[in-house]
Amino acid sequence: MASSVLNLFKSCRPFTPIRFSSLPKSQFRSPFLLRAGKLTQSRRCFTALSSLTDGGDSISGEKELWLHNTMSRKKELFKPKVEGKVGMYVCGVTAYDLSHIGHARVYVTFDVLLRYLKHLGYEVSYVRNFTDVDDKIIARANELGEDPISLSRRFCEEFNRDMEQLQCLDPSVQPRVSDHIPQIIDLIKQILDNGYAYKVDGDIYFSVDKLPTYGKLSGRKLEDNRAGERVAVDTRKKHPADFALWKAAKEGEPFWESPWGRGRPGWHIECSAMSAAYLGYSFDIHGGGMDLVFPHHENEIAQSCAACDSSNISYWIHNGFVTVDSEKMSKSLGNFFTIRQVIDLYHPLALRLFLMGTHYRSPINYSDFLLESASERIFYIYQTLHDCESLLGEKDSTFDSDSVPSDTLTTITTFRSEFIGSMSDDLLTPVTLAAMSEPLKTINDLIHTRKGKKQARREESLKALETTIRDVLTILGLMPTSYSEVLNQLKEKALKRAGLKEEDVLQRVQERTDARKNKEYERSDAIRKDLASVGIALMDSPEGTTWRPAIPLALQEPVTSTP
């Protein structure tokens, strides 16, 4: 792993880079409502891959990837600096509390990108940091009477648990600010030596007017940066937009020794230092939420360019906000739901599907309806695949492709083409999820309809379809360890939302069965409607009545506008 990272290093390294292999082991951690239709995007790759999960040994020209670059404000063909290798840095959380679903959206977005890059055959060095030295952390620690670093480490662990629940792959490394103070100090020295910063009473400030290109990412001009707007008012600064690289120690705050006295890093400098330490000054992808474009990423660019004039990041990628009532979800506004709160009622994979049901650059409005829709949709997906798996049972699962009927092969080829085309066009996950509808419908037809049961080579078709969908779910991070296990978990969550136990539902089912036998149809319908109102749908068949989670009737009102 270390060698792949070192191959990405460029010039201007003012401090010794950190190799992954030298880190302690603690640093490592081993819209679905749309119908499938024709893609309207221009850049599509219709390649029927022999296996969607093999990734290949090389990057095929047919697997080109287009990504929207915030810097150029347009989609660009992805070309890594080193053939076959990708360096990606994503800004992590400030760890002082449990993470909310706005954070979940950031890291699910970049997990999807990571997985797709791996699928295309790239070797990815993925760095995602933890901010564990910050004003908010210090304030929270003082409230709780806890050491700030200890508090932050605790919430770093909680964050990792959330990411595991959401099936986000582990980054190559997760550096913490407190472990990289020497690298930060060296970087500040370089910036000072190059004349882009100045000292004031033990503080070090970056001088924004020394860098003519400042504002190129956000498109803001210096005169747009008014004092008091996200930049602290300080009359000692030469320009209101100047920002702190180093803060002199204050009573009761953690501090480190530096050439300028005791103090701690400013917020922005940490990411410039840690990205350079692991990926060099020139790497492929830097990502984060849209709220980081200014000032954080703008200031990162300024710092890195001030330290090294050949600093260059090829693609700046930002995801849209999660909103509540059209207002950005954030802790400062107090309108947030933690990941823990959401997955207490909804399955983590339903939350992941909800987040992927809107294109990553668009805002997504948090609502019970959309979460219920995601939960119902993912139950349908897993139930279909479970039924397929159960029917195939222990039978020989190795089928020659020549034995799969041509109409099934057409369905598979179309789905694979739509998958590659949509994902390669700036990760259009809603189109991919919609495209899954047709192969799922085909599976259900083969299993449940009279015509499907009579189809020649039915088992071959089912196996080929199930394998294809499973491969795509794996790439999207939506593949469970067991269909039956996740179906049971989804039903448990539905019961919890309904305020019922399964024995309550089974009792109502029996009451309805008795009512139907007695021709008490109004009572039978009332029982069905009562359960449907809380999200429990009854399914009648010759074998009897079963139940499944569904969108509660109260939420099934016509949607007049797209959130």
Side-chain angles (χ1 to χ4, degrees), residues 51 66 69 176 270 273 291 314 342 357 394 397 423 481 488 491 543:
S51 172
W66 293 78
N69 192 343
R176 295 181 173 93
E270 62 184 70
D291 56 324
S314 301
V342 176
E394 299 299 323
S397 62
M423 292 297 289
T481 54
N488 287 332
K491 293 178 80 171
E543 290 76 32

Side-chain angles (χ1 to χ4, degrees), residues 25-63:
K25 291 183 179 180
S26 61
Q27 289 280 17
F28 292 86
R29 286 180 49 79
S30 77
F32 30 82
L33 298 176
L34 298 176
R35 293 181 180 177
K38 292 183 179 179
L39 294 177
T40 58
Q41 304 298 324
S42 59
R43 301 179 180 108
R44 294 179 290 169
C45 310
F46 293 105
T47 306
L49 305 181
S50 59
S51 172
L52 282 170
T53 54
D54 63 355
D57 295 325
S58 62
I59 310 304
S60 168
E62 296 176 324
K63 298 180 183 179

Side-chain angles (χ1 to χ4, degrees), residues 261-509:
R262 292 178 172 180
R264 60 185 174 90
W267 175 33
H268 313 294
I269 193 67
E270 62 184 70
C271 287
S272 288
M274 288 187 285
S275 63
Y278 294 98
L279 300 174
Y281 279 102
S282 184
F283 57 93
D284 301 298
I285 297 170
H286 196 314
M290 198 170 289
D291 56 324
L292 297 184
V293 173
F294 185 89
H296 187 53
H297 287 165
E298 194 73 75
N299 291 350
E300 275 194 66
I301 293 170
Q303 294 164 160
S304 297
C305 289
C308 176
D309 57 12
S310 62
S311 173
N312 178 263
I313 296 168
S314 301
Y315 305 89
W316 288 88
I317 299 176
H318 296 92
N319 65 275
F321 298 133
V322 175
T323 61
V324 179
D325 297 327
S326 301
E327 191 170 38
K328 177 198 167 189
M329 180 180 290
S330 70
K331 290 179 180 176
S332 60
L333 294 174
N335 66 343
F336 67 95
F337 298 92
T338 66
I339 297 170
R340 298 288 172 86
Q341 287 174 318
V342 176
I343 65 177
D344 182 53
L345 293 175
Y346 295 92
H347 196 282
L349 289 176
L351 174 56
R352 186 178 176 102
L353 186 73
F354 160 75
L355 295 170
M356 294 169 61
T358 299
H359 185 244
Y360 78 90
R361 288 196 294 113
S362 300
I364 180 171
N365 199 50
Y366 176 91
S367 73
D368 290 341
F369 173 73
L370 287 177
L371 276 168
E372 290 283 357
S373 299
S375 187
E376 182 184 56
R377 182 61 177 172
I378 208 159
F379 186 90
Y380 165 74
I381 293 171
Y382 297 148
Q383 185 66 64
T384 300
L385 298 175
H386 177 261
D387 291 347
C388 181
E389 187 179 65
S390 298
L391 188 147
L392 292 172
E394 299 299 323
K395 297 175 183 176
D396 183 10
S397 62
T398 57
F399 298 118
D400 190 285
S401 60
D402 293 337
S403 68
V404 180
S406 60
D407 56 345
T408 300
L409 285 176
T410 298
T411 299
I412 290 171
T413 300
T414 300
F415 175 48
R416 286 175 168 170
S417 297
E418 290 180 335
F419 168 75
I420 293 295
S422 57
M423 292 297 289
S424 292
D425 191 2
D426 199 28
L427 307 179
L428 284 171
T429 51
V431 178
T432 293
L433 295 172
M436 202 177 294
S437 297
E438 191 60 33
L440 288 168
K441 179 182 180 298
T442 302
I443 289 176
N444 276 309
D445 287 345
L446 289 167
I447 295 174
H448 300 296
T449 68
R450 183 177 301 176
K451 180 181 178 181
K453 291 176 182 178
K454 292 181 178 180
Q455 181 174 305
R457 292 172 290 175
R458 173 174 172 243
E459 292 175 359
E460 286 88 338
S461 290
L462 286 171
K463 182 60 185 177
L465 288 162
E466 191 271 341
T467 298
T468 301
I469 295 172
R470 177 166 22 92
D471 289 349
V472 169
L473 290 175
T474 299
I475 296 166
L476 296 177
L478 290 170
M479 185 63 196
T481 54
S482 161
Y483 297 137
S484 59
E485 181 181 357
V486 75
L487 287 169
N488 287 332
Q489 292 168 349
L490 283 161
K491 293 178 80 171
E492 289 169 4
K493 297 289 186 183
L495 288 169
K496 188 170 186 176
R497 295 194 299 275
L500 297 171
K501 296 181 180 178
E502 184 157 25
E503 48 263 37
D504 298 329
V505 175
L506 297 178
Q507 181 181 339
R508 298 309 306 277
V509 168

